[in-house]
Amino acid sequence: MVLYINATIVTVNPTRDVILDGAIFVKDDKIADLGKTVALLAKYPDEKAADLTGRIIIPGLISTHMHTAQTLLRGAADDLELVSWLCERIWVLQGNFTAEDGYAAARISIAEMLLTGTTCFLESMFADRYGFDGLCKAVEESGIRGCLGKIVMDIATYAKDSAWAMHPGLVEDREMSLLGALRMHEKWDKAANDRIRVWFGARTPGGVSDGLYREMTALSKEKNIPITMHCAEVKADRDFFESHSQTPMSYCDSVGLLGPSTVLVHMVHLDDSDIAKLAETGTHVAHCPTSNAKLASGICRLPELLSSGVNVGLGTDGAPCNNTCDLLQEMKLAAIIHKAKSYDPTIISAEQVLEMATINGAKALGLESSIGSLDVGKKADFVAIDMRRVHLQPYFSPVSAVVYSVTGRDVELVVVDGKEIVKGGRLQTMNEEEIWIEAEKRSHEIVERAGLTGKVEGRWPLK
């Protein structure tokens, strides 16, 4: 039991209270009490107290889209258009992974997320060759929460273009992907004190047959297995849907993908009818503004989605198209990019973006009753940001300060399930140096196996 005192607490509770000089009392894995420091000190005079003067506490951040394997490929495919990025670099590199590489990638991804304030994440499409057991082991060891999407696919191209072929090392069939996901669900779902949830991570339409989608969505309903899937990310996706005389959401509806247990990712190229269908069905969206901007995919219609009542979370996507897993940095771009597009500085607020990164993310993952806000009885998942720094002072609104000024490097304390996973800015459950050294070594081995050593080094000569 620990009483955290003297902090500014941004609760994101139903009334969106911000408590000045606030305190949180943690008992076991739950928030047992919350309020003003003076009141909680009077109620719990004999409990161990941790002084957080000068810190802002926020709920643990929730990333609704990322690829753990891709962190080993950070910087390996910069400044490329999507076809080259995917077919000539990322798929080739990922097709040369081993299970040991997958475990190392999961560990460095998780370490970075925890150090920058993310306490729960949704892995989008973990391939069989990366070693799903290793991903679950990394989540279990680290203390983070992970909703882990095991890839489902049976077609090895992208959209309707046969030239966009996957590397042979990534191709999976129904047995390996769908049935493999069921096996992993049976083995790992709700493991690690319920910190692990196993999802279906379907490939983008064009990468899954209609029959396999329908089989997966039926199993999703029968076994209560949620689904995440990239959708309407680029114009080529739009072309695929039009080749079926469909819009993105009419197609998804036709194969049973829409509903409150589905998180659709990117969702850049939507019609008004698509947005209405999302709202009607309660389907969730993961917004990834940095990835969409860097890969020149376009800009998601976030203001229209939110105003229509669609629940939208936030994700960093993979490291080769960001190049960070720091959701605090993603929050800033999410708050800014839509202002530039609309010429309206009021169109998306800091408060809306913090909701996307916390309670909206929890709703998308079906976990809003236990995480996403700081309320008595919820899990003790929270982050303390040290504001006692030149680049963070002065500030007037704690929420604006977090969204526009803070980055992951300002995170001091991360608590998940009542346990201090990051303390004093240092991981307590993992050896940071061991993790990055192993990741650096394995990343270069992957590049060498893929025969891409000379191509990933940038445009200027290395001497």
Side-chain angles (χ1 to χ4, degrees):
M1 293 184 288
V2 181
L3 180 61
Y4 297 91
I5 61 174
N6 298 324
T8 296
I9 303 175
V10 181
T11 65
V12 200
N13 67 8
T15 52
R16 301 302 190 258
D17 296 320
V18 177
I19 305 172
L20 303 177
D21 197 11
I24 299 176
F25 182 43
V26 174
K27 184 176 181 181
D28 299 324
D29 62 351
K30 300 282 200 317
I31 297 173
D33 210 345
L34 181 79
K36 288 285 191 178
T37 293
V38 64
L40 266 64
L41 281 174
K43 288 174 72 173
Y44 310 105
D46 299 323
E47 298 298 342
K48 175 185 174 184
D51 186 2
L52 293 180
T53 299
R55 282 76 157 189
I56 294 175
I57 292 178
I58 61 174
L61 300 176
I62 299 167
S63 179
T64 52
H65 183 64
M66 74 94 58
H67 299 264
T68 53
Q70 289 186 1
T71 304
L72 284 195
L73 310 180
R74 192 194 321 265
D78 289 337
D79 306 325
L80 298 175
E81 53 82 31
L82 184 64
V83 181
S84 300
W85 182 88
L86 191 61
C87 298
E88 298 174 13
R89 293 283 179 90
I90 300 305
W91 277 347
V92 177
L93 292 165
Q94 290 179 163
N96 280 276
F97 265 56
T98 66
E100 292 76 20
D101 297 329
Y103 176 58
R107 293 182 78 209
I108 195 168
S109 299
I110 289 167
E112 183 182 357
M113 285 190 285
L114 285 169
L115 285 165
T116 55
T118 293
T119 58
C120 182
F121 71 99
L122 175 55
E123 158 65 48
S124 182
M125 288 191 306
F126 204 81
D128 189 79
R129 72 173 301 118
Y130 309 154
F132 198 86
D133 286 330
L135 172 62
C136 294
K137 181 182 173 186
V139 171
E140 186 173 44
E141 294 167 343
S142 67
I144 202 168
R145 296 187 192 282
C147 296
L148 310 177
K150 167 73 177 66
I151 196 168
V152 176
M153 65 165 290
D154 59 351
I155 299 173
T157 55
Y158 188 101
K160 68 184 185 72
D161 193 338
S162 60
W164 291 31
M166 293 184 82
H167 186 277
L170 290 176
V171 176
E172 299 187 27
D173 57 13
R174 173 184 174 274
E175 167 69 30
M176 184 180 288
S177 65
L178 179 67
L179 302 188
L182 290 175
R183 289 190 291 271
M184 291 299 100
H185 183 269
E186 185 175 330
K187 181 175 182 179
W188 285 104
D189 192 60
K190 298 186 179 179
N193 194 33
D194 200 20
R195 286 187 291 105
I196 294 174
R197 297 291 179 94
V198 178
W199 286 45
F200 290 131
R203 276 202 68 213
T204 312
V208 184
S209 65
D210 290 2
L212 190 59
Y213 270 138
R214 292 192 176 99
E215 183 178 5
M216 178 189 69
T217 55
L219 286 166
S220 170
K221 293 174 176 65
E222 176 190 338
K223 298 180 179 292
N224 195 28
I225 303 175
I227 298 166
T228 187
M229 184 186 77
H230 296 67
C231 189
E233 180 180 4
V234 294
K235 290 180 179 178
D237 293 324
R238 189 74 206 212
D239 293 341
F240 170 82
F241 295 122
E242 289 176 356
S243 73
H244 286 65
S245 301
Q246 302 267 22
T247 71
M249 292 307 95
S250 68
Y251 175 84
C252 288
D253 196 29
S254 73
V255 293
L257 280 163
L258 301 184
S261 293
T262 294
V263 176
L264 297 178
V265 183
H266 299 303
M267 301 293 276
V268 174
H269 299 275
L270 301 179
D271 289 344
D272 291 347
S273 64
D274 294 318
I275 294 174
K277 180 62 74 172
L278 288 165
E280 174 192 331
T281 57
T283 307
H284 311 279
V285 170
H287 180 36
C288 305
T290 301
S291 170
N292 296 155
K294 189 180 178 193
L295 291 174
S297 302
I299 299 177
C300 172
R301 296 177 63 187
L302 178 66
E304 293 95 330
L305 288 165
L306 293 178
S307 65
S308 298
V310 178
N311 182 58
V312 183
L314 197 63
T316 60
D317 209 343
C321 56
N322 191 306
N323 298 42
T324 178
C325 303
D326 181 353
L327 200 64
L328 283 158
Q329 292 189 51
E330 199 71 28
M331 288 163 63
K332 181 173 183 177
L333 185 62
I336 288 174
I337 196 168
H338 304 284
K339 303 180 193 302
K341 181 184 179 185
S342 66
Y343 301 99
D344 180 358
T346 70
I347 197 161
I348 296 293
S349 68
E351 287 79 7
Q352 286 175 297
V353 171
L354 184 58
E355 288 171 341
M356 289 168 61
T358 55
I359 192 63
N360 290 14
K363 288 176 183 175
L365 303 186
L367 300 174
E368 69 270 27
S369 64
S370 57
I371 63 172
S373 64
L374 302 178
D375 292 286
V376 173
K378 280 196 169 185
K379 293 283 191 178
D381 287 17
F382 58 87
V383 174
I385 299 163
D386 190 351
M387 302 299 291
R388 304 169 303 169
R389 302 181 180 191
V390 169
H391 64 283
L392 298 179
Q393 292 291 340
Y395 72 88
F396 301 96
S397 161
V399 176
S400 289
V402 168
V403 172
Y404 291 118
S405 301
V406 168
T407 73
R409 293 178 180 86
D410 302 313
V411 169
E412 180 185 33
L413 175 72
V414 176
V415 176
V416 184
D417 245 9
K419 298 180 177 63
E420 294 183 348
I421 306 299
V422 174
K423 187 174 183 179
R426 301 292 298 177
L427 274 170
Q428 304 300 296
T429 56
M430 308 169 80
N431 184 316
E432 293 175 45
E433 184 176 20
E434 175 186 291
I435 287 169
W436 75 255
I437 289 174
E438 176 75 3
E440 195 271 344
K441 170 179 169 290
R442 288 191 173 277
S443 68
H444 286 277
E445 290 173 350
I446 292 166
V447 169
E448 187 174 350
R449 283 199 299 273
L452 293 177
T453 302
K455 293 185 178 180
V456 300
E457 294 172 348
R459 292 167 175 78
W460 290 353
L462 301 179
K463 295 185 177 179

